[in-house]
Amino acid sequence: MSGNEARLKATAAVVNYKPLAPQMSFFETPTAELFNANVFDAATMKKRLPKSVYKSLMRTIQKGEQLDSGVADVVAVAMKDWAIEKGATHYAHVFFPLTGLTAEKHDSFLSPNGDGKALAEFTGEQLIQGEPDGSSFPTGGIRPTFEARGYTAWDVTSPAYIMENPNGTTLCIPTAFVSWTGEALDKKTPLLRSQQALNKHAKRVLKLFGEEVDVISSTAGAEQEYFLVDQNFFYARPDLMTAGRTLFGAPPAKGQQFDDHYFGAIPERVLGFMLEAERELFKLGVPVKTRHNEVAPGQYEIAPIYENGNVATDHQQLMMVTLKRVAEKYGMTVILHEKPFAGVNGSGKHLNFSLGGPGVGNLLDPGDNPHDNVRFLVFCAAVIRAVDLYAPLLRAAVASASNDHRLGANEAPPAIMSIFLGEQLTDVFEQIRTLGDAKTSKDRGILNLGVDVLPPLPMHSGDRNRTSPVAFTGNKFEFRAVGSGQSIAGPLMVWNTILAESLDYIATALESADTDFSTAVKTLLREIINEHGRIIFNGDGYSEAWHREAEFERGLPNLRTAADALPVFGTPEVIDLFSKYGVLSERETLSRRDVKLEQYVMAIDVEARLMVKIGRTMIYPTAMRYVTELANAVAAVKAAGMDGDSAELEMVLGLATDLRAAIEALSAALEHDHGDADLLAEAQYACGTLRPLMGAVRRATDSLEALVADDMWPLPNYQEMLYIK
Ligand code: ADP
Ligand code: MG
């Protein structure tokens, strides 16, 4: 038997792939007409609900007023009728546990009516509250398994929708998930609490500017990067399947050095998948907008138009689920891991965010003359102060075993948090710092292309900077350290909270100032830029020089790994911050740290065990077969009376021996008894001991891959997975 049978079959399957027949529905109903088709949106509610109920709901959704649970029965009936007209048989409370994934519990609308028939029923109580058995979700010690009770609570601010399946549809209701003591077991509850805190303190600041508004909320738009791999390759790679990334793989001869994939023409099958995924997302009200090839071969990006932070977060989860589901129809697997292929660019999820509300618009829009836009400068200063004060928390919010492979790998922002402001704003804040006041804004300029038929292009106020973890991009900040597979709920919750804290600080200072408002603002801006200006850095974040400058001259923290960063959730400053703003209690904060540490430890443990298994059962046997073949060849040459060269044989045997030793060492390390050690010690062990041992197994394997006869190699290689489409 040849060792590469799986590879040959997979390659043949990809080459012989037949595109799906065109779907007539695409031409009958243009995608544009489908937006929100499966959403219980404002228009649908207006049509189907009594006016007073509709108005009451809108006050909660748009102004954040308390939900009148008296309306639930009426809403439930309308929702059920609408869903059943759309083919629904079940409803599901959808929630977002601490795993970062999406969970749903389905219940039938039907219940027996006593006459041997079944009746479709859905009450306000069923809409408002669910009770999934929560014992199988991580809680970080909040709730022992004998107290398994958990509740889901309807989040009226995120619209319900219909999930389609060829065999029927399900009404999905976004919910918060809490323990029976009311503690948050999910990512939505703290996110909503943080929105509330942000709202409160942003409004205080606006009031000082004479602006009274109903509600301010964060806005978010997340650009999602992902890889597509043909399923045939995917299933021939146990590591990709189980760990979400390749644990082995020699670099391909052609990587991404030609820069020929980025923004390149999208292959037909991939485009077909994208069109269908976007159509599905459109039906669900997810406003997808942009698609393109990313930097690495096989890598793509999809981005929506921004929305209210809470809705954007739910929609982001839907996006990940939908991409995965639709890709399967096209014979491909979506890989959301941050670093599926070593040596090839990883995937991130740029979280664009701002804050604003009806009446005031986007509060981070500088306009044409930022030096004159005091309100903007105040909100921008709040961001600068927040990032400087809470850099370690921001780092911790994106910490995971998988994101560790990407941050700081010279393709994604480093683990050092800093802000890119661009030339124009940096200059404005520099004037404030040195002169106490900003008098001018540098011109954005017009780009003349030197060709009469081409239009002159207005320039942005700053060039792009891909190396910065937090970049100001025109009228929003872009947090680029989020991992592609992560929920944006955690990072957004952190942003909301640290901004709320800064705005609270600013409002308090200005409210109690003993000078006129204009002088007080100037004094405060100057103080903030003096104290926190060190966080602004417009240069190359990848460079060694920056790492030195950040550490030695600016004193900025550099938490390299998740094991370094996650303990931040247990520090008094962070515990105080979250509890002061009503986002997380001490126990809730610590539970998040523990769940994240646990996931970190488990992720590395699973990878290490997989390495041992694949190394022992696939790689080592392959290497020894090749050794046998080489040994036979050398013997045959000698027997024929010629001078045999056994250098190759010695090399392969040497590597096989190294591999075996590395596997044994890793395997032994996995048996380590942690005794009473806490989670942090286990995480440090995983990071400091297991990871280097895994590195040794990989090095030996990848060297073997470059030597062993290709027809024996059992795992699809990087070339095949990334280029055969
Ligand atoms: P860029 O070219 O700077 O990446 P894009 O216009 O492509 O900017 O936007 C990237 C993402 O940022 C999109 O998802 C977009 O909707 C989002 N975005 C734009 N404005 C805002 C805003 N005010 N708040 C949050 N996200 C925003
Ligand atoms: Mg962008």
Side-chain angles (χ1 to χ4, degrees):
M1 190 205 77
S2 72
N4 67 339
E5 202 176 330
R7 285 171 58 206
L8 293 179
K9 278 193 180 152
T11 308
V14 180
V15 173
N16 297 322
Y17 172 83
K18 293 273 172 296
L20 296 174
Q23 302 181 56
M24 286 324 291
S25 60
F26 272 61
F27 304 98
E28 284 156 10
T29 319
T31 299
E33 287 173 24
L34 286 176
F35 191 64
N36 268 339
N38 284 347
V39 182
F40 197 66
D41 60 354
T44 312
M45 285 196 258
K46 192 166 185 182
K47 211 160 63 200
R48 290 178 173 258
L49 293 173
K51 213 175 206 150
S52 63
V53 173
Y54 171 73
K55 281 194 167 155
S56 156
L57 277 189
M58 281 300 142
R59 279 197 300 275
T60 305
I61 295 170
Q62 292 173 344
K63 301 185 179 173
E65 283 181 18
Q66 186 150 21
L67 175 68
D68 171 8
S69 43
V71 304
D73 275 322
V74 183
V75 179
V77 170
M79 223 186 236
K80 178 203 68 185
D81 291 345
W82 171 77
I84 288 177
E85 281 167 32
K86 291 192 160 288
T89 51
H90 287 67
Y91 68 95
H93 276 200
V94 176
F95 55 103
F96 307 96
L98 297 181
T99 52
L101 303 173
T102 305
E104 32 191 78
K105 186 194 177 208
H106 294 222
D107 282 290
S108 172
F109 284 127
L110 296 177
S111 38
N113 67 352
D115 305 337
K117 296 253 181 312
L119 201 71
E121 243 188 359
F122 189 50
T123 63
E125 208 182 311
Q126 288 168 314
L127 167 63
I128 286 192
Q129 183 175 354
E131 201 194 320
D133 174 6
S135 58
S136 310
F137 296 103
T139 68
I142 280 189
R143 185 202 47 198
T145 36
F146 61 86
E147 289 172 2
R149 216 178 273 273
Y151 296 118
T152 49
W154 177 33
D155 171 15
V156 61
T157 63
S158 182
Y161 56 91
I162 298 274
M163 225 5 155
E164 289 177 317
N165 177 284
N167 296 334
T169 70
T170 304
L171 168 66
C172 294
I173 301 156
T175 61
F177 178 43
V178 297
S179 75
W180 79 285
T181 50
E183 285 166 303
L185 298 176
D186 69 342
K187 291 185 172 271
K188 182 188 273 291
T189 309
L191 176 60
L192 287 171
R193 291 178 185 156
S194 71
Q195 296 266 65
Q196 221 165 286
L198 181 69
N199 174 44
K200 178 173 166 190
H201 297 289
K203 284 199 316 205
R204 277 175 66 206
V205 172
L206 284 174
K207 197 167 168 200
L208 291 163
F209 281 93
E211 288 171 305
E212 300 269 0
V213 290
D214 283 335
V215 67
I216 294 297
S217 61
S218 60
T219 51
E223 304 164 58
Q224 172 76 58
E225 293 177 340
Y226 59 94
F227 278 87
L228 281 173
V229 170
D230 189 277
Q231 271 176 2
N232 293 289
F233 292 130
F234 179 76
Y235 288 114
R237 295 275 326 204
D239 47 356
L240 204 47
M241 233 173 87
T242 308
R245 74 175 178 112
T246 57
L247 298 169
F248 305 106
K254 182 183 171 195
Q256 60 196 50
Q257 64 271 48
F258 289 98
D259 284 333
D260 54 359
H261 187 69
Y262 194 46
F263 279 40
I266 302 173
E268 185 176 306
R269 170 156 63 141
V270 173
L271 189 56
F273 146 74
M274 286 176 168
L275 286 165
E276 181 158 350
E278 287 165 9
R279 191 174 165 91
E280 290 303 303
L281 287 165
F282 248 58
K283 287 192 212 165
L284 296 169
V286 182
V288 278
K289 173 89 172 152
T290 318
R291 59 167 107 101
H292 59 77
N293 286 1
E294 256 305 320
V295 176
Q299 192 186 31
Y300 305 90
E301 179 181 301
I302 178 168
I305 294 172
Y306 69 94
E307 298 176 278
N308 162 290
N310 176 44
V311 176
T313 303
D314 287 0
H315 280 169
Q316 221 291 305
Q317 296 290 117
L318 264 178
M319 187 184 273
M320 290 195 283
V321 172
T322 305
L323 288 176
K324 285 194 168 220
R325 187 167 52 82
V326 175
E328 276 176 22
K329 227 174 127 174
Y330 289 80
M332 297 180 292
T333 301
V334 165
I335 313 272
L336 292 176
H337 193 285
E338 283 76 8
K339 192 75 178 176
F341 304 99
V344 175
N345 259 26
S347 303
K349 181 141 57 197
H350 296 173
L351 173 57
N352 295 270
F353 80 92
S354 184
L355 71 170
V360 288
N362 177 1
L363 293 169
L364 288 174
D365 187 350
D368 288 336
N369 295 304
H371 72 279
D372 248 356
N373 189 344
V374 182
R375 191 184 77 189
F376 162 77
L377 292 175
V378 164
F379 279 90
C380 191
V383 176
I384 293 169
R385 181 180 172 280
V387 176
D388 187 40
L389 279 180
Y390 293 102
L393 178 57
L394 277 172
R395 168 66 184 91
V398 296
S400 72
S402 46
N403 212 14
D404 269 6
H405 294 285
R406 180 179 154 262
L407 293 179
N410 273 11
E411 52 165 275
I416 307 166
M417 293 295 135
S418 66
I419 296 181
F420 169 84
L421 266 193
E423 195 185 331
Q424 191 187 45
L425 289 184
T426 304
D427 174 64
V428 167
F429 277 104
E430 196 50 25
Q431 292 177 52
I432 294 173
R433 195 179 67 79
T434 51
L435 312 169
D437 196 6
K439 301 266 189 258
T440 56
S441 295
K442 282 192 177 175
D443 218 358
R444 291 188 185 192
I446 297 284
L447 201 59
N448 204 315
L449 305 184
V451 179
D452 291 341
V453 296
L454 293 179
L457 302 177
M459 287 165 72
H460 286 87
S461 53
D463 194 5
R464 282 174 182 272
N465 178 319
R466 294 183 63 92
T467 67
S468 181
V470 181
F472 185 76
T473 45
N475 56 5
K476 63 186 190 290
F477 280 90
E478 185 171 335
F479 185 37
R480 302 203 178 107
V482 184
S484 48
Q486 285 173 341
S487 159
I488 59 169
L492 194 57
M493 177 270 285
V494 167
W495 275 110
N496 285 342
T497 311
I498 64 179
L499 267 181
E501 193 274 341
S502 262
L503 293 169
D504 180 12
Y505 174 84
I506 288 171
T508 306
L510 295 178
E511 281 160 1
S512 59
D514 46 18
T515 55
D516 65 286
F517 181 64
S518 158
T519 313
V521 170
K522 279 180 197 161
T523 312
L524 184 65
L525 285 175
R526 191 172 199 185
E527 175 214 301
I528 290 178
I529 201 65
N530 261 323
E531 274 180 35
H532 305 289
R534 63 171 185 165
I535 200 76
I536 298 167
F537 175 64
N538 293 323
D540 178 2
Y542 296 168
S543 70
E544 253 320 296
W546 166 237
H547 285 236
R548 276 196 306 275
E549 180 183 333
E551 183 176 350
F552 298 113
E553 286 165 42
R554 305 202 189 197
L556 298 176
N558 183 4
L559 301 168
R560 286 187 173 75
T561 70
D564 300 325
L566 289 175
V568 169
F569 281 106
T571 55
E573 306 87 77
V574 168
I575 291 173
D576 289 349
L577 171 78
F578 284 133
S579 76
K580 179 169 178 197
Y581 292 93
V583 175
L584 292 168
S585 69
E586 174 166 4
R587 224 157 79 105
E588 288 172 328
T589 304
L590 292 176
S591 77
R592 270 131 190 99
R593 176 198 62 187
D594 290 351
V595 168
K596 281 169 188 280
L597 280 170
E598 220 169 72
Q599 286 183 324
Y600 179 79
V601 169
M602 285 189 304
I604 295 179
D605 187 76
V606 165
E607 287 186 351
R609 285 176 201 282
L610 262 171
M611 271 194 134
V612 169
K613 169 101 170 100
I614 298 172
R616 273 204 184 121
T617 62
M618 295 177 86
I619 312 295
Y620 185 71
T622 301
M624 292 313 285
R625 274 184 206 139
Y626 188 50
V627 164
T628 309
E629 197 170 305
L630 286 175
N632 287 341
V634 172
V637 169
K638 283 219 175 99
M642 291 179 284
D643 268 350
D645 175 3
S646 57
E648 180 85 0
L649 171 60
E650 278 161 30
M651 200 149 62
V652 176
L653 183 59
L655 283 169
T657 310
D658 290 351
L659 174 64
R660 239 191 65 81
I663 292 172
E664 288 318 313
L666 180 57
S667 175
L670 277 166
E671 298 313 312
H672 177 77
D673 179 6
H674 289 283
D676 290 336
D678 60 6
L679 274 170
L680 180 57
E682 282 189 51
Q684 282 162 344
Y685 181 80
C687 179
T689 305
L690 294 181
R691 279 225 151 131
L693 291 171
M694 291 166 70
V697 177
R698 175 161 197 157
R699 272 192 302 281
T701 303
D702 292 356
S703 308
L704 281 166
E705 185 181 335
L707 292 177
V708 169
D710 186 66
D711 65 340
M712 288 185 165
W713 197 255
L715 299 170
N717 61 38
Y718 275 22
Q719 199 82 38
E720 290 161 343
M721 286 186 285
L722 293 170
Y723 284 101
I724 304 181
K725 295 186 174 130

